[in-house]
Amino acid sequence: MTTGAGEEVVIETEGLTKRYGDVTAVDDLRLRIQEGEIYGLLGPNGSGKTTTILMLLGLTEPTAGSARVLGFDPVREPLKVKAKVGYLPDQVGFYDELTARENLAYIAKLNGLPRPEAERRLDEALERMGLADVADRPVGTYSRGMKQRLGLAELLLKRPRVIILDEPTLGLDPEAAREFLQTIRGLKAEGITVLLSSHLLHQVQQICDRVGLFHKGRKVLEGTVPELARRVLGGAYRVRVHAQSERDLRPALEGVAGVRAVIAQDGVYELEAERDVRPDVAEAVVRAGGKLLGLELEEPSLDDIYARYFERLEHQHQDEQAQEGEGVTARGGAR
Amino acid sequence: MAERVEARPRRAEREGSPWTGLWAVVAKEMADHLTSARMRFLELIILLTAVGTVYLALQELRRTEEFLYLALLTRSRDPLPAFVGFMGFLVPLIAIALGFDAINGEFNRRTLSRVLAQPIYRDALLLGKFLAGLFTLALVLTAIWLLVMGLGLLRLGVPPTGVEVARGLLYLLTTIAYGGVWLGLALTFSIVFRQPATAALSSIAVWLFVTVFWGMLVGLIVQGLTDDPVAQTRWGLALVRLSPNTLYSEASLALLHPTIESTLRIMGVITPLQLVQLQWAVPTPLPLSQSLMTIWPHLTGLIAATILLFALSYVLFQRQEIRA
């Protein structure tokens, strides 16, 4: 199936639903992920991300709806799906008493790779993840970051077309997380489609082409980060101006067309604007006799978007409840 | 809506063989078993028991006896029980040790979802683990069996007869089937309980119950059921045979101690009174075919119990959510 510019849809779901008893873990999910993109499945813990992933891999059966991964149905043809899709679970574990090489060799065997081919791919993958030197050490001695990289090396063994990463940066220190995300971006460059889930929105927002924000099993928002920012934050651009001046520059900045608000603090001005006002701001600062030291557009943060969205939702909810409450009293009165 | 209904011709068959990757799992698990400290320790114990009991049995033997090699396995001298007796409780122990952390161990190491994300079905993982356990058990037991035979050959200086070898091999087979029951139980518990320690202790609890308490309990039940002594014996025999331990010891006795007396006792046609009369009977050994016929139900029972337990674990595992 193709859409728009002839890009292939590699993962698609229609009305995908999973219920555990009374709890609906995933609710009527419609997902389209195109080849070569990095898609972020984002949301707090327990919002249905992992369940979605397990259904895509055929590791758990959907209660309703259907999914297609690379054109295969995960319920009926899980082996075909799993042969081409690499999955890195959250807090991945290995057989600690075996070496990295032995661990990967087992996975290669489960994938039915012939011995020489397996060994070649194994060396390649370990080399690529920077684990070649420690490949013969028991995995029990590895750090969290190394295990995560070993997990990625394992995915590469399959030469996957899609990789699915569940909370890939969980438990990594910021530096290791950043490096790991860079590696993932490198995989995208090879044409591998990446689906990742995370609740650490700020960490993954830089590498996701598109994100879907989950809340209580439902996908509530979807799009690129700037798109969502426009939609939820009302198209606000935040510009940070660092300028030196004898006078207060605030009036000058407020005078720039499109600027809605200015917050000043120690020579740093935070502007909220309707558009990218950087050229005009630079001009205004200079004209007001100030020295411009820095000018940058702040990326809208997914955390802000998420928080703002739910604030709004909460308000709506409260309003609804209030209305309902009134309805009840009215009915009560009628009786 | 119509589309959704159409998209769900569920319960449709899944594609691909359920045994893909089975042998990779078996090889890996067997390698794990054979190199694990747990198994080495158990092997050492069983080795010491074998050498100890056989050594003592050798001193008890008279050269003129028929079935010298079978006597090697069954003859005991204080303070040690016979080799057969030891196996009766060492084999369950080994089998439980091989299976109690099969599935929950993977859960706790967080390797289960990673392994199942490979192009294999759960069937392959479970059966692979079961077969690996069974093969390991068979390997260890065969090695011990050969060791005992070898010791006998060295010390007795006469080769075993064909019948002795055949009976010995059948005994080996029975022992493996007996181990299979406990392996199946341990495997089931490894799925039911998330903690390996709980699974191990529960398996051992069942084993203790069956070995030690079931016999006593049957005595009480039977007394409650009827006053007729013959009926009591019948009922007692039927009930006590629910225990795999009973099946195993009776089968071993029939195979390794082929007298009419022991066989009749197994067949349950004997009362204490008849036993006294039998003292005067000619102690002719039973032919192998007759012994085999006697223990056929026992052997079938053991194998059936193994398959039942495995089927139970299979159903439980297929239904289990694999998310940690």
Side-chain angles (χ1 to χ4, degrees):
Chain A
M1 181 177 277
T2 55
T3 60
E7 280 179 56
E8 202 184 340
V9 175
V10 290
I11 297 177
E12 64 176 321
T13 71
E14 201 61 66
L16 200 63
T17 302
K18 177 73 182 181
R19 280 186 215 104
Y20 295 104
D22 292 340
V23 185
T24 306
V26 176
D27 195 2
D28 198 21
L29 176 67
R30 185 176 188 275
L31 207 58
R32 292 269 179 290
I33 298 173
Q34 271 152 21
E35 180 153 40
E37 73 174 334
I38 300 185
Y39 188 95
L41 227 49
L42 309 180
N45 293 329
S47 56
K49 294 168 295 169
T50 303
T51 310
T52 304
I53 290 174
L54 293 179
M55 284 193 284
L56 290 178
L57 287 162
L59 291 179
T60 190
E61 246 181 80
T63 314
S66 65
R68 288 252 148 200
V69 179
L70 295 166
F72 299 118
D73 177 359
V75 176
R76 282 206 316 120
E77 305 155 298
L79 298 194
K80 284 179 186 158
V81 171
K82 291 192 281 185
K84 281 287 156 207
V85 178
Y87 168 51
L88 187 64
D90 60 338
Q91 300 183 24
V92 61
F94 291 92
Y95 301 107
D96 282 347
E97 65 286 354
L98 300 184
T99 67
R101 196 178 288 280
E102 286 164 345
N103 265 292
L104 294 199
Y106 179 42
I107 296 301
K109 257 168 117 185
L110 289 178
N111 276 280
L113 295 179
R115 193 74 171 272
E117 174 71 13
E119 266 171 30
R120 219 178 49 235
R121 288 193 193 183
L122 218 149
D123 286 333
E124 198 184 291
L126 286 169
E127 184 68 43
R128 173 126 187 236
M129 289 296 134
L131 294 169
D133 297 339
V134 288
D136 293 313
R137 265 176 30 193
V139 177
T141 64
Y142 277 31
S143 71
R144 182 95 191 82
M146 285 161 86
K147 278 187 192 166
Q148 206 73 2
R149 275 186 286 154
L150 183 58
L152 215 47
E154 179 199 302
L155 302 196
L156 293 180
L157 281 183
K158 286 189 195 181
R159 303 253 162 94
R161 282 185 61 198
V162 177
I163 61 176
I164 298 181
L165 311 165
D166 199 354
E167 299 282 2
T169 58
L170 195 69
L172 296 184
D173 61 71
E175 180 60 20
R178 206 183 51 77
E179 257 177 47
F180 194 71
L181 291 173
Q182 284 311 313
T183 318
I184 294 170
R185 214 207 286 257
L187 296 178
K188 177 202 154 130
E190 290 172 23
I192 297 176
T193 311
V194 181
L195 173 66
L196 62 83
S197 90
S198 183
H199 68 273
L200 302 165
L201 309 186
H202 61 278
Q203 266 187 349
V204 297
Q205 83 169 91
Q206 308 123 24
I207 73 156
C208 290
D209 297 323
R210 277 197 312 145
V211 300
L213 290 181
F214 276 64
H215 181 69
K216 291 185 179 157
R218 301 194 75 104
K219 188 180 71 181
V220 289
L221 281 171
E222 185 178 51
T224 64
V225 176
E227 252 174 52
L228 294 183
R230 226 177 359 262
R231 213 177 326 153
V232 177
L233 303 177
Y237 282 76
R238 278 165 210 277
V239 178
R240 179 193 288 260
V241 185
H242 192 190
Q244 235 174 21
S245 170
E246 312 275 295
R247 294 182 289 142
D248 187 10
L249 288 171
R250 205 185 317 193
L253 291 173
E254 275 170 349
V256 175
V259 172
R260 275 192 256 163
V262 179
I263 305 157
Q265 202 177 30
D266 307 332
V268 177
Y269 302 86
E270 300 260 7
L271 272 57
E272 202 183 301
E274 285 158 8
R275 59 193 177 88
D276 187 358
V277 292
R278 279 180 297 178
D280 302 332
V281 165
E283 209 182 310
V285 170
V286 174
R287 201 176 289 160
K291 285 181 190 146
L292 187 62
L293 301 176
L295 183 61
E296 63 191 41
L297 187 66
E298 269 180 32
E299 293 278 324
S301 123
L302 264 179
D303 285 303
D304 285 348
I305 296 173
Y306 199 81
R308 189 73 72 83
Y309 184 79
F310 284 109
E311 243 167 57
R312 218 193 280 162
L313 214 64
E314 195 76 4
H315 282 308
Q316 272 176 14
H317 191 59
Q318 274 170 3
D319 288 350
E320 273 167 28
Q321 268 186 338
Q323 279 171 5
E324 260 172 48
E326 278 165 25
V328 169
T329 33
R331 240 179 286 144
R335 199 188 290 169
Chain B
M1 252 347 246
E3 186 188 29
R4 198 176 308 166
V5 173
E6 202 178 313
R8 297 204 66 197
R10 270 304 133 69
R11 306 290 149 217
E13 275 176 34
R14 37 174 211 186
E15 289 188 1
S17 160
W19 313 127
T20 320
L22 174 66
W23 296 109
V25 176
V26 172
K28 192 249 168 202
E29 293 295 323
M30 268 193 87
D32 278 0
H33 285 325
L34 293 174
T35 54
S36 73
R38 188 196 302 167
M39 272 313 291
R40 292 214 181 128
F41 182 66
L42 285 170
E43 278 161 22
L44 189 71
I45 290 183
I46 205 173
L47 189 74
L48 287 176
T49 345
V51 173
T53 50
V54 168
Y55 179 75
L56 290 178
L58 276 167
Q59 297 180 336
E60 288 285 302
L61 286 183
R62 277 161 288 129
R63 291 292 157 116
T64 50
E65 268 182 88
E66 204 173 5
F67 299 132
L68 268 178
Y69 281 83
L70 300 184
L72 208 58
L73 299 173
T74 47
R75 197 60 50 84
S76 66
R77 196 179 95 174
D78 284 338
L80 282 184
F83 178 76
V84 176
F86 263 115
M87 293 309 255
F89 67 84
L90 276 180
V91 167
L93 211 59
I94 299 178
I96 289 170
L98 285 169
F100 77 91
D101 65 346
I103 298 299
N104 51 21
E106 299 269 350
F107 253 115
N108 294 338
R109 280 179 290 187
R110 298 182 163 278
T111 47
L112 189 64
S113 50
R114 205 169 52 86
V115 168
L116 289 180
Q118 308 312 320
I120 60 164
Y121 280 115
R122 293 182 191 200
D123 316 41
L125 186 71
L126 192 68
L127 185 65
K129 278 180 177 279
F130 179 76
L131 287 182
L134 202 62
F135 290 166
T136 309
L137 193 70
L139 195 71
V140 171
L141 292 178
T142 310
I144 300 291
W145 185 83
L146 285 172
L147 182 87
V148 169
M149 287 293 168
L151 271 178
L153 207 58
L154 278 179
R155 298 298 302 257
L156 295 172
V158 284
T161 62
V163 174
E164 278 174 315
V165 172
R167 283 180 179 273
L169 280 174
L170 276 170
Y171 165 69
L172 181 64
L173 189 73
T174 315
T175 311
I176 294 169
Y178 174 56
V181 176
W182 296 104
L183 187 64
L185 183 79
L187 194 67
T188 306
F189 280 167
S190 89
I191 295 165
V192 174
F193 300 111
R194 276 295 161 88
Q195 293 303 322
T198 317
L201 288 175
S202 311
S203 310
I204 289 178
V206 172
W207 167 63
L208 265 180
F209 174 77
V210 160
T211 325
V212 181
F213 298 111
W214 183 238
M216 305 178 193
L217 212 59
V218 164
L220 288 176
I221 294 172
V222 163
Q223 276 171 21
L225 275 175
T226 169
D227 291 329
D228 175 20
V230 176
Q232 274 186 1
T233 317
R234 286 275 152 80
W235 270 105
L237 217 56
L239 285 175
V240 92
R241 276 183 186 153
L242 289 177
S243 147
N245 208 46
T246 313
L247 293 183
Y248 174 66
S249 53
E250 286 185 358
S252 316
L253 187 66
L255 282 170
L256 301 177
H257 207 289
T259 59
I260 290 179
E261 177 201 330
S262 68
T263 308
L264 286 180
R265 195 172 339 164
I266 290 161
M267 292 172 77
V269 290
I270 234 167
T271 58
L273 185 73
Q274 288 170 313
L275 203 62
V276 177
Q277 293 166 345
L278 257 175
Q279 301 290 320
W280 289 279
V282 190
T284 336
L286 221 58
L288 178 59
S289 59
Q290 291 304 310
S291 292
L292 200 56
M293 262 172 69
T294 319
I295 66 141
W296 197 248
H298 296 72
L299 203 54
T300 320
L302 286 174
I303 293 171
T306 307
I307 292 174
L308 268 178
L309 281 166
F310 180 74
L312 178 66
S313 71
Y314 182 86
V315 170
L316 289 172
F317 188 48
Q318 292 288 346
R319 286 166 173 237
Q320 199 169 45
E321 288 293 334
I322 65 138
R323 65 183 309 171

